[in-house]
Amino acid sequence: MKRVWSFLKREPMLTVSVLAAVIAMIVTPPSARLITDIDWRTLGTLLMMLCVLEGFKQENVLRPLIRLAAGMERMTVLSLFLIFGVFFTSMFVTNDVSLIIFVPVTILLFRSGDKERYLLPILTMENIAAIRGSLLTPFGSPQNLFLYGQAKVSAGHFMLHMLPLCVMSALLLVLFVFVLYRKDPKERISAGINLAPWTPMGRKKRITYAALFVLILAVIVTRTPYWYAAVGIVLVTILIVDRQLLKKVDYVLLVTFLCFFIFSSSIAANERIASLLKRAVAHNEYWWAIGLSQVISNVPASIVLYPFTENFAGLIYGADTAGLCSLIGSLASVINYRIYVREYPNGGKAFIKTFTLVSWAFFLLVVLPGYLLSFWPFF
């Protein structure tokens, strides 16, 4: 029991998601519908990404990115590079993946440059950048993928409606960085990283992981119905190239996602709860999306609320703002948290404290403009 309790303390998000799923299945006994309602595509895509990016880490594929960042001598310049690296990549490879790419790099650079006192604020800003950058495109986040599929509008039309929030968020992020370094805007850093050179023996693996990464991006962008074939290709290829890699994948994150999907499906299948939502959600979509996301995260909240929505703009703006309130608000935040605590096992409380303070400051600045924009008809 001690080992179980210790594990649950180390994995609070998993604990919350499992409890939520169990309670939901007690309220609504599981049926065959539960299996079909789970977003297996999102889980499969996440599994592929976790596998390939673990391969990137093992083979030091991100070495050029680290070298470029390590050459930056001012904290403001380096921080803006990392934050907006997350901001722009999240538009194309989803907010989850952008954090998986940049957060380990940020930890490495700040640790080696003796600037760990700035690490938590910058990681929180990267989290904000992932959430607010990804809202621009239909494939920037899982909830955008789902809602874009329901909207039946062009990608250009979708992006036009999301652009004001995206631009405003970029300007605020710049302001937040300069506030952080207000005492010394020219503060310098010397990362002093000694990167191991690429070896010819690893060339085959690097090329393989890069090719698999391109395949995954194609699956995300094209929304192909044959995504399961891509999952098979990725897993079989890794088994051939480096089967030990599969032991290092963060499966806890996959189980967390799965439990939240079980919760959302079970709640939506309950007739009494569905009737209540139908009466309560209409014309209050923005606030419902923000509030419900704090319980089940924004992806399941979007799935639960969509059938009861009359104001589509309110739902999607609320879902894309919800991640600023708490870790549970967006599962991208859970990823950020998990990466950090794997490097700093005793740093969970400090992470949550800084995350809450910085994210809420940002949330209070954008929540009202987002609400006002929700009256701009999406269709």
Side-chain angles (χ1 to χ4, degrees):
M1 286 301 296
K2 278 187 176 182
R3 294 179 64 183
V4 172
W5 179 245
S6 177
F7 175 78
L8 293 177
K9 286 177 66 177
R10 291 199 313 269
E11 307 292 348
M13 293 301 107
L14 175 64
T15 304
V16 170
S17 67
V18 170
L19 287 175
V22 170
I23 292 171
M25 287 190 290
I26 293 173
V27 173
T28 308
S31 64
R33 174 183 169 180
L34 178 62
I35 302 298
T36 58
D37 282 350
I38 293 173
D39 192 346
W40 296 108
R41 180 192 183 96
T42 298
L43 292 174
T45 303
L46 179 60
L47 173 60
M48 290 190 292
M49 279 295 187
L50 290 172
C51 288
V52 171
L53 290 171
E54 183 63 34
F56 280 6
K57 179 181 177 181
Q58 296 297 316
E59 296 304 320
N60 208 11
V61 173
L62 300 177
R63 186 172 182 270
L65 173 66
I66 298 173
R67 288 190 62 184
L68 177 61
M72 297 177 180
E73 298 180 349
R74 290 187 180 179
M75 288 298 294
T76 50
V77 175
L78 175 61
S79 298
L80 287 170
F81 172 80
L82 294 168
I83 290 168
F84 280 93
V86 174
F87 188 83
F88 288 110
T89 57
S90 68
M91 299 176 184
F92 303 100
V93 300
T94 77
N95 50 20
D96 315 83
V97 176
S98 65
L99 289 171
I100 292 172
I101 293 172
F102 278 92
V103 169
V105 173
T106 304
I107 293 173
L108 175 64
L109 292 171
F110 279 54
R111 179 186 287 162
S112 64
D114 195 26
K115 300 293 182 181
E116 287 179 286
R117 62 187 178 278
Y118 297 115
L119 183 57
L120 285 174
I122 294 300
L123 291 185
T124 302
M125 288 186 223
E126 288 182 0
N127 201 93
I128 295 169
I131 292 169
R132 304 302 282 181
S134 64
L135 65 79
L136 180 65
T137 62
F139 40 79
S141 63
Q143 73 270 14
N144 274 19
L145 271 173
F146 169 73
L147 294 173
Y148 173 66
Q150 308 300 318
K152 309 300 181 185
V153 297
S154 68
H157 181 90
F158 182 97
M159 293 172 68
L160 175 65
H161 277 259
M162 309 305 286
L163 185 62
L165 291 178
C166 187
V167 172
M168 178 179 63
S169 299
L171 295 175
L172 283 174
L173 281 168
V174 174
L175 176 63
F176 271 48
V177 169
F178 281 99
V179 168
L180 177 64
Y181 298 115
R182 62 190 179 279
K183 292 183 179 179
D184 185 7
K186 297 182 179 180
E187 182 172 349
R188 304 183 77 82
I189 180 174
S190 178
I193 297 176
N194 294 317
L195 296 173
W198 278 343
T199 61
M201 293 178 61
R203 184 170 182 270
K204 179 181 177 181
K205 290 182 180 179
R206 291 192 294 271
I207 293 174
T208 300
Y209 295 141
L212 292 177
F213 187 68
V214 172
L215 172 64
I216 297 168
L217 294 187
V219 169
I220 295 171
V221 172
T222 63
R223 291 185 285 185
T224 174
Y226 303 108
W227 58 268
Y228 52 86
V231 175
I233 291 171
V234 169
L235 293 179
V236 169
T237 303
I238 291 176
L239 278 172
I240 295 172
V241 173
D242 184 5
R243 65 179 58 197
Q244 295 300 314
L245 182 69
L246 294 176
K247 297 180 180 179
K248 302 173 183 177
V249 174
D250 188 4
Y251 295 108
V252 170
L253 185 61
L254 284 172
V255 176
T256 301
F257 267 71
L258 175 61
C259 288
F260 277 128
F261 282 130
I262 291 173
F263 177 87
S264 63
S265 175
S266 299
I267 291 299
N270 186 287
E271 292 184 3
R272 291 184 179 180
I273 297 177
S275 177
L276 173 65
L277 289 174
K278 189 172 184 179
R279 294 193 303 269
V281 171
H283 308 298
N284 297 299
E285 292 86 353
Y286 185 76
W287 302 112
W288 264 93
I290 293 174
L292 186 59
S293 295
Q294 308 318 306
V295 181
I296 62 175
S297 89
N298 52 9
V299 179
S302 300
I303 297 170
V304 170
L305 296 177
Y306 176 76
F308 316 105
T309 293
E310 294 184 10
N311 178 7
F312 183 85
L315 176 60
I316 194 166
Y317 290 159
D320 283 331
T321 302
L324 301 173
C325 297
S326 69
L327 284 179
I328 296 176
S330 170
L331 291 179
S333 304
V334 179
I335 291 175
N336 196 354
Y337 173 83
R338 280 196 52 73
I339 295 173
Y340 180 79
V341 296
R342 288 177 77 176
E343 295 291 331
Y344 300 91
N346 298 319
K349 290 183 179 179
F351 182 98
I352 293 173
K353 179 180 178 181
T354 303
F355 176 93
T356 302
L357 290 173
V358 178
S359 285
W360 263 90
F362 200 95
F363 172 76
L364 292 174
L365 292 173
V366 302
V367 64
L368 184 57
Y371 175 66
L372 295 175
L373 275 172
S374 71
F375 292 99
W376 181 16
F378 215 94
F379 306 121

